[in-house]
Amino acid sequence: MTGTVFITGATAGIGAAAARRFAGAGWKVIATGRRAARLEALVAELGADTVHPALFDMRDEAAIDRAIAALPAGFRDVDVLINNAGLALGTAPAQVSDLGQWRQMIDTNVTGLVTITHRLLPLLIERRGAILNLSSVAATYPYGGGNVYGGTKAFVRQFSLGLRSDLHGTGVRVTSIEPGMVETEFTTVRTGGNQAASDAFYKGAHPMTGEDIAETLFWVATQPKHLNFNSIELMPVTQSFAGFQVARDA
């Protein structure tokens, strides 16, 4: 099975790994991102006949519309949408968090995701395609400093289930992919570029990789079309569920 896959946030981490995995299996890839140099490098690596770059910020609705309208003939028939683009900003508790960071996470992780989904839904219905949304274990298990990031991922999970319900009978498959610890640029971005903090976070933990999640995405996308996976939660063996917090009197 091959087709055309539309991957948001394809310039690093899970998105870049997914672009390589699908391209390697003969798929055409629409790769989106904010960093032109990285998109150009992906095209150079995988080939212009295989990868079409779409440069835009997920928060820019007009740019999203222009990018979709400008898809060349060989890339217009989108069979799979992978809503991967997203970010976590800040590790502070809610009461001292930066409201601007909260808004950026909501605008990217929620508003941008639903905008692209809405734009591509008619085509995905026509193609009896699939939507794979990157949520997180943070959608289910809260942790200190997770506040708005966890809230956006809970939205993605619930939105996926709602889409599945609304698309009943269309043949469109919808899956919420919910990873735990994955070593990508995620933590470097979250800590404002603090590579040392990122390295310390992952040290000795044997986290999952972008390639691990890309393999999961590819597996889901290429299963028989009469199967739907509502949600898939995956973690490294070293990670498990957090315990409850208890505040005690001094």
Side-chain angles (χ1 to χ4, degrees), residues 57-102:
D57 188 307
M58 289 287 290
R59 297 170 292 172
D60 189 337
E61 183 177 350
I64 290 172
D65 288 341
R66 288 194 299 270
I68 292 173
L71 290 176
F75 292 87
R76 289 178 189 160
D77 293 333
V78 177
D79 298 287
V80 176
L81 167 61
I82 298 179
N83 277 315
N84 165 72
L87 75 168
L89 295 173
T91 58
Q95 60 270 31
V96 292
S97 289
D98 182 324
L99 181 58
Q101 290 184 336
W102 280 11

Side-chain angles (χ1 to χ4, degrees), residues 2-114:
T2 59
T4 299
V5 58
F6 190 113
I7 305 173
T8 67
T11 55
I14 293 169
R20 294 185 178 100
R21 181 64 180 92
F22 279 85
W27 286 62
K28 288 183 178 291
V29 177
I30 300 158
T32 88
R34 295 180 295 110
R35 293 171 283 193
R38 291 199 179 188
L39 286 178
E40 291 165 4
L42 200 61
V43 173
E45 175 189 345
L46 301 175
D49 292 336
T50 298
V51 178
H52 171 74
L55 182 68
F56 60 79
D57 188 307
M58 289 287 290
R59 297 170 292 172
D60 189 337
E61 183 177 350
I64 290 172
D65 288 341
R66 288 194 299 270
I68 292 173
L71 290 176
F75 292 87
R76 289 178 189 160
D77 293 333
V78 177
D79 298 287
V80 176
L81 167 61
I82 298 179
N83 277 315
N84 165 72
L87 75 168
L89 295 173
T91 58
Q95 60 270 31
V96 292
S97 289
D98 182 324
L99 181 58
Q101 290 184 336
W102 280 11
R103 287 173 172 158
Q104 186 176 348
M105 285 187 280
I106 293 167
D107 290 346
T108 303
N109 301 359
V110 174
T111 308
L113 182 147
V114 300

Side-chain angles (χ1 to χ4, degrees), residues 32-232:
T32 88
R34 295 180 295 110
R35 293 171 283 193
R38 291 199 179 188
L39 286 178
E40 291 165 4
L42 200 61
V43 173
E45 175 189 345
L46 301 175
D49 292 336
T50 298
V51 178
H52 171 74
L55 182 68
F56 60 79
D57 188 307
M58 289 287 290
R59 297 170 292 172
D60 189 337
E61 183 177 350
I64 290 172
D65 288 341
R66 288 194 299 270
I68 292 173
L71 290 176
F75 292 87
R76 289 178 189 160
D77 293 333
V78 177
D79 298 287
V80 176
L81 167 61
I82 298 179
N83 277 315
N84 165 72
L87 75 168
L89 295 173
T91 58
Q95 60 270 31
V96 292
S97 289
D98 182 324
L99 181 58
Q101 290 184 336
W102 280 11
R103 287 173 172 158
Q104 186 176 348
M105 285 187 280
I106 293 167
D107 290 346
T108 303
N109 301 359
V110 174
T111 308
L113 182 147
V114 300
T115 299
I116 286 179
T117 303
H118 188 267
R119 296 296 192 270
L120 292 177
L121 267 177
L123 182 56
L124 289 163
I125 291 170
E126 178 186 327
R127 303 284 297 173
R128 297 176 70 86
I131 301 168
L132 280 56
N133 291 327
L134 263 293
S135 179
S136 167
V137 294
T140 304
Y141 310 106
Y143 58 87
N147 44 65
V148 168
Y149 173 73
T152 65
K153 292 304 182 177
F155 174 89
V156 172
R157 172 181 167 80
Q158 193 64 22
F159 179 59
S160 301
L161 296 175
L163 279 174
R164 174 84 178 105
S165 179
D166 286 347
L167 293 168
H168 178 78
T170 66
V172 176
R173 295 167 291 148
V174 185
T175 303
S176 174
I177 305 289
E178 300 163 13
M181 181 187 287
V182 184
E183 186 169 7
T184 63
E185 294 179 0
F186 174 89
T187 303
T188 308
V189 171
R190 185 166 211 171
T191 58
N194 187 335
Q195 187 61 49
S198 177
D199 293 342
F201 179 73
Y202 294 119
K203 184 178 180 180
H206 306 290
M208 296 184 293
T209 66
E211 287 73 23
D212 292 331
I213 310 306
E215 191 63 38
T216 303
L217 292 165
F218 183 78
W219 181 80
V220 172
T222 55
Q223 290 303 294
K225 290 195 172 185
H226 68 280
L227 297 177
N228 191 86
F229 301 87
N230 298 327
S231 62
I232 296 179

